[in-house]
Amino acid sequence: MKVLVIGGGAREHALCRSLSQDPAVTELHCAPGNAGIAQVAAVHPVDQLDGAQVAALAGRLGAGLVVVGPEAPLVAGVADAVRAAGIPVFGPSAAAAQLEGSKAFAKDVMAAAGVPTARSYVCTTAAEAAEALDAFGAPYVVKDDGLAAGKGVVVTSDREAALAHAAACERVVIEEYLDGPEVSLFAITDGTTVVPLQPAQDFKRALDGDEGPNTGGMGAYSPLPWAPAGLVEEVLETVLQPTVDELRRRGTAFSGLLYAGLALTSRGTRVIEFNARFGDPETQVVLARLRTPLAGVLLASADGTLDQLEPLRWDEGAAVTVVVASEGYPAAPRTGDPIEGLAEAEADGTAFVLHAGTKADEDGRVLSAGGRVLSVTATGADLAEARERAYAAVDRISLKGGQHRTDIALKAATA
Ligand code: AMP
């Protein structure tokens, strides 16, 4: 099978790495890719948001499967264009991707499907926003309705700041605050059958101890030794299957990766958000533990044959990923700095480096090219060992001004 992956971050590098290890994959392509992906796949320049361009590239390459990584192409209808060209695609239609593209749409689907989530109001005026904030009280949660690349959500006890965020967005969802730890649970679906993956947890804040600004994610780990037994089954039954059934009932069946961001609150499990694609950086740790070859799993989603898939096989051990970000991330990331020590980081075979924002210069040096630069990932018998290996690898890498959290998976490993 020839596979084309769309995207160019660490999530796509993780997907490409797993696909490159699948004996069923005879050719692997990625567009646009990055310097790390180029080591395992042929990379092609493409406008990821242009469905016609992506479909044409897939046709030219003779791809038997296209995997769309990021949310923006999905919401822009890239999966529809590829599907219309008769090529199997992993990823939902633009209509189904509204589950991530519009928070108001997601709330509507959850209400119809009886899925537990925060109570909320959709507001378009300052007066509506003020009323909603006062209805719930502090801490306030104000979410931009549309895609905002992880920057659309403000959680604050400052009523003025909450109002200001609402005023800066055209339409917001204001909702009750959910306490309790967060869990990311991914599921592969073909629109009918739902196959959950292993849960993971990510770290959204920039600094140790969950301080500092929100980011795209600074690290992740899996499994979650502290999670209640039966969590995956419960979420499958109360969240994932009803959501997939509701979307199919509406005529907008969702196939691809359904990502449930959950809060385990004192009053039970609640959905914080849905995403329509693999999460970054959780994908790095979830795929590091998946033993079943990946291409067949993704193709079964694209083909609608997930009901025939053998149960997934998982590594019993643990995986940890630590994001190395550039100086100034997330506010004003500095790019163009050389990265040293990449080979050394992987030398003892216990860790691997996934590239997020990198590019190669004419001399073949790898330069930083984005806010999140690398996802340094390791597996081990348990979280403590995976952590130790990931941080040992991080220590061998040098990037001027580079920053990373030192407490990824720390609490879970020592609990
Ligand atoms: P989202 O983009 O919806 O995942 O929100 C980003 C982050 O904001 C989440 O990972 C949570 O940490 C936080 N958040 C979102 N909604 C809520 C909520 N209702 N209560 C508490 N925290 C929230």
Side-chain angles (χ1 to χ4, degrees):
M1 186 190 336
K2 297 183 186 178
V3 183
L4 169 64
V5 176
I6 301 303
R11 162 186 48 215
E12 287 75 28
H13 194 177
L15 288 164
C16 283
R17 180 176 181 274
S18 292
L19 289 166
S20 74
Q21 295 171 345
D22 183 339
V25 176
T26 52
E27 263 182 47
L28 184 59
H29 299 268
C30 185
N34 63 35
I37 293 172
Q39 293 166 9
V40 293
V43 296
H44 307 267
V46 78
D47 175 356
Q48 315 182 43
L49 299 181
D50 185 334
Q53 251 190 57
V54 171
L57 175 64
R60 229 171 27 247
L61 296 171
L65 174 67
V66 175
V67 180
V68 183
E71 60 274 21
L74 292 168
V75 171
V78 166
D80 303 80
V82 175
R83 214 170 268 125
I87 301 169
V89 58
F90 181 80
S93 65
Q98 279 305 299
L99 199 60
E100 172 166 5
S102 165
K103 303 230 183 241
F105 176 77
K107 286 290 186 188
D108 189 57
V109 170
M110 284 188 266
V115 168
T117 184
R119 288 178 297 127
S120 64
Y121 294 104
V122 179
C123 307
T124 50
T125 68
E128 282 171 8
E131 202 178 319
L133 292 176
D134 295 336
F136 295 127
Y140 304 107
V141 181
V142 183
K143 302 186 172 187
D144 192 344
D145 179 49
L147 278 190
K151 299 190 185 85
V153 178
V154 167
V155 181
T156 177
S157 291
D158 179 346
R159 190 170 176 279
E160 290 310 308
L163 278 172
H165 184 57
C169 307
E170 220 167 278
R171 193 155 93 123
V172 290
V173 170
I174 292 180
E175 65 181 33
E176 73 181 309
Y177 178 80
L178 300 174
D179 62 353
E182 291 181 29
V183 171
S184 301
L185 185 63
F186 302 167
I188 310 268
T189 176
D190 56 9
T192 303
T193 303
V194 182
V195 178
L197 305 186
Q198 289 282 312
Q201 188 174 50
D202 75 342
F203 293 74
K204 284 252 184 281
R205 300 295 190 110
L207 306 175
D208 282 0
D210 294 330
E211 302 284 337
N214 255 319
T215 70
M218 295 299 288
Y221 67 93
S222 174
L224 313 179
W226 50 267
L231 177 69
V232 172
E233 292 72 20
E234 178 208 329
V235 175
L236 175 62
E237 201 175 301
T238 62
V239 173
L240 299 167
Q241 191 71 56
T243 300
V244 165
D245 291 345
E246 172 62 18
L247 284 164
R248 191 179 63 250
R249 200 186 58 74
R250 291 178 181 216
T252 50
F254 184 106
S255 73
L257 193 292
L258 177 58
Y259 166 139
L262 306 160
L264 308 192
T265 78
S266 45
R267 295 190 295 132
T269 305
R270 300 279 185 278
V271 174
I272 292 184
E273 63 163 346
F274 282 127
N275 291 321
R277 38 77 195 176
F278 279 100
D280 186 347
E282 299 97 312
T283 301
Q284 287 84 308
V285 289
V286 171
L287 292 186
R289 297 185 54 224
L290 179 65
R291 288 283 151 268
T292 306
L294 183 61
V297 180
L298 304 184
L299 186 64
S301 157
D303 278 352
T305 56
L306 269 180
D307 59 336
Q308 293 158 39
L309 194 73
E310 298 277 314
L312 297 179
R313 287 177 287 112
W314 295 94
D315 187 337
E316 290 295 314
V320 171
T321 193
V322 179
V323 169
V324 176
S326 49
E327 183 178 340
Y329 177 74
R334 200 184 117 102
T335 58
D337 291 310
I339 305 161
E340 311 285 351
L342 290 169
E344 291 80 352
E346 295 184 334
D348 68 8
T350 62
F352 52 93
V353 182
L354 300 169
H355 292 219
T358 67
K359 64 172 188 205
D361 71 5
E362 297 96 51
D363 306 324
R365 289 187 314 168
V366 178
L367 305 180
S368 61
R372 289 190 293 173
V373 180
L374 305 168
S375 272
V376 181
T377 309
T379 53
D382 55 20
L383 284 173
E385 187 175 51
R387 239 191 130 249
E388 205 176 295
R389 290 171 168 179
Y391 277 110
V394 167
D395 287 341
R396 292 186 203 109
I397 295 170
S398 74
L399 165 66
K400 192 172 168 217
Q403 44 163 330
H404 64 268
R405 280 181 63 157
T406 67
D407 64 347
I408 303 302
L410 178 59
K411 238 193 320 185
T414 51

